[in-house]
Amino acid sequence: MISETAPLASLDQWEDDLLSRYPEPEHKSKEDYRNYDTPERDTVREFYRLNHTYQTYDFVREKESDFLKFDKKELPVWGVAEFLNTLVDDSDPDTDLDQLQHLLQTSEAIRADGHPDWFVLTGFLHDMGKVLCLFGEAQWAVVGDTFPVGCKHSDKIVYPEFFANNPDSYDERYNTKYGVYEPNCGLRNIHMSWGHDEYLYQIMKNYMPEPALYMMRYHSFYSQHREEAYNHLMDEHDHEMFKWVRKFNPYDLYSKSPKPPVVSELKPYYEDLIAKYLPSTLKL
Ligand SMILES: [Fe+2]
Ligand SMILES: [Fe+2]
C-alpha cells in the first residue's frame, strides 16, 4: 500500500527520477537512466500527485510560520549532516549512497573543478534542509521540484495535470499569471512551494555569499533553471544569479559515483570550511 506521507521508498527516488528527465548530456545515454521498473515510476507519480495537491499558498505560509521560528533543535553543522544520515532507508537498492555521501560527492566534485571554497561548502550543505523529514514532515513537503505558489502553475512543471487537484487552481486570487505578485517583482518577493531548499536558505541566509544562497534556495526549481517558465516573475538580478544555480545543478545530479567518499578522510577539511563561514551551531 502506498502511504499518503511517504510514497517514495526513499527521498533519493525523487532525485533518481530527475536523472530520467534531465539525463547527463555527454557521458551517459538516456537509456542508462531509464531502466526503472514500473512500480518505482508509479511511486514517483503518486509522490507528485500529493505534492501538487497539497502545496497551496496557505500551506506554504503555515510552514513558514512554524519552521522559521527555528525552535526545533540546535546542532553543530557536522551534527546536522549526521542527524540527516539517520534518514537512510534500507529499502533502497544497495547502489544508493546515504545522504552524507551524496553531500560529499557533490562538494568533492565542485572542489575537484577548482571552484571557490564557499561553492564547495554549498555542495556540502545543499540538502541539509531534508532534516525536515526527521521533524515528521511528509516527503511531498520536503523534496520534489519546487515552484511559486500564489500564482498560476506552469505546465512546464513535472506532472502539471495534478494541479487540477490543488484548490489554488480554482481561487481567483492565485490562479492568474501573476496572482498575488507584480510582473518581474523578483524572486525574493515570491513564496515557493515548501521544502528543503527554502528551509536551508532561511537557516543560511546570514552567513553565505549571495550566489551560494541562490543555489541553496532554487536548486529544485527545475521549471525555471531548466525550463525558464517563470521569467515573468524574475528580475535582472535573479537572471544574473541563476547562472550560479545552473552551474550548481550538474554537480547535484551527475556527481553520483558508486565509489563512496571516505568520510573520515574528508571531515577535517570540511570542519575547517564550516568554521570559516558558519557559526559553531545552527538553530533548526
Ligand atoms: Fe536537494
Ligand atoms: Fe542533492
Side-chain angles (χ1 to χ4, degrees):
M1 199 184 93
I2 288 175
S3 152
E4 269 279 296
T5 55
L8 304 175
S10 84
L11 294 188
D12 293 340
Q13 227 180 347
W14 162 63
E15 290 179 331
D16 292 344
D17 188 67
L18 282 169
L19 287 173
S20 71
R21 283 159 51 204
Y22 300 111
E24 193 170 10
E26 303 118 41
H27 316 287
K28 302 206 170 146
S29 73
K30 278 195 176 193
E31 287 66 35
D32 289 343
Y33 287 120
R34 282 189 188 280
N35 54 0
Y36 296 142
D37 48 27
T38 324
E40 271 199 23
R41 296 314 301 266
D42 285 350
T43 62
V44 169
R45 211 179 125 79
E46 172 60 7
F47 164 78
Y48 279 111
R49 187 186 69 79
L50 297 168
N51 177 278
H52 292 2
T53 302
Y54 297 122
Q55 287 272 0
T56 62
Y57 187 77
D58 287 347
F59 173 80
V60 167
R61 300 308 300 265
E62 252 169 59
K63 290 296 165 189
E64 288 169 348
S65 65
D66 179 6
F67 281 99
L68 305 188
K69 291 198 292 253
F70 304 112
D71 60 356
K72 307 283 183 285
K73 217 173 173 68
E74 185 165 354
L75 286 171
V77 179
W78 192 268
V80 179
E82 285 174 337
F83 179 48
L84 181 62
N85 238 17
T86 63
L87 201 65
V88 173
D89 191 305
D90 49 20
S91 61
D92 250 11
D94 49 11
T95 49
D96 275 14
L97 299 160
D98 65 32
Q99 297 293 328
L100 178 55
Q101 287 168 329
H102 168 59
L103 293 178
L104 286 171
Q105 285 206 333
T106 306
S107 59
E108 284 296 288
I110 294 167
R111 179 150 75 128
D113 284 351
H115 290 297
D117 64 356
W118 53 261
F119 193 170
V120 178
L121 182 56
T122 301
F124 179 67
L125 299 170
H126 81 278
D127 276 341
M128 287 196 187
K130 289 179 183 174
V131 295
L132 284 170
C133 249
L134 295 158
F135 297 138
E137 295 303 296
Q139 288 173 341
W140 53 263
V142 179
V143 296
D145 293 36
T146 59
F147 51 86
V149 294
C151 61
K152 191 176 168 45
H153 307 111
S154 167
D155 59 9
K156 298 268 177 58
I157 301 166
V158 64
Y159 293 118
E161 63 273 23
F162 290 134
F163 286 115
N165 304 330
N166 187 308
D168 287 359
S169 301
Y170 308 96
D171 188 321
E172 58 195 25
R173 290 171 296 172
Y174 307 137
N175 66 3
T176 60
K177 181 173 181 185
Y178 295 102
V180 298
Y181 309 115
E182 299 296 326
N184 301 103
C185 61
L187 292 181
R188 80 192 73 83
N189 292 307
I190 305 290
H191 295 275
M192 298 292 292
S193 56
W194 178 252
H196 72 287
D197 308 56
E198 180 67 19
Y199 183 48
L200 182 67
Y201 160 76
Q202 294 287 349
I203 293 167
M204 294 294 166
K205 67 180 176 190
N206 297 323
Y207 309 117
M208 295 292 284
E210 197 184 18
L213 295 174
Y214 265 79
M215 292 188 267
M216 291 175 191
R217 194 176 198 179
Y218 301 112
H219 73 272
S220 306
F221 190 8
Y222 282 84
S223 59
Q224 180 57 37
H225 69 67
R226 289 281 189 154
E227 312 291 342
E228 305 224 303
Y230 286 96
N231 284 339
H232 56 286
L233 296 176
M234 306 260 288
D235 65 12
E236 279 312 308
H237 188 64
D238 292 327
H239 283 292
E240 207 42 50
M241 288 293 128
F242 262 57
K243 289 176 188 163
W244 290 99
V245 178
R246 280 192 291 272
K247 202 176 284 222
F248 172 76
N249 185 243
Y251 294 109
D252 189 9
L253 286 189
Y254 311 130
S255 62
K256 286 185 184 178
S257 89
K259 195 161 62 80
V262 181
V263 176
S264 58
E265 284 172 12
L266 295 171
K267 190 175 174 185
Y269 168 81
Y270 285 94
E271 286 287 26
D272 285 350
L273 203 48
I274 289 164
K276 181 174 171 185
Y277 287 96
L278 302 175
S280 58
T281 60
L282 295 173
K283 286 192 173 67
L284 306 178

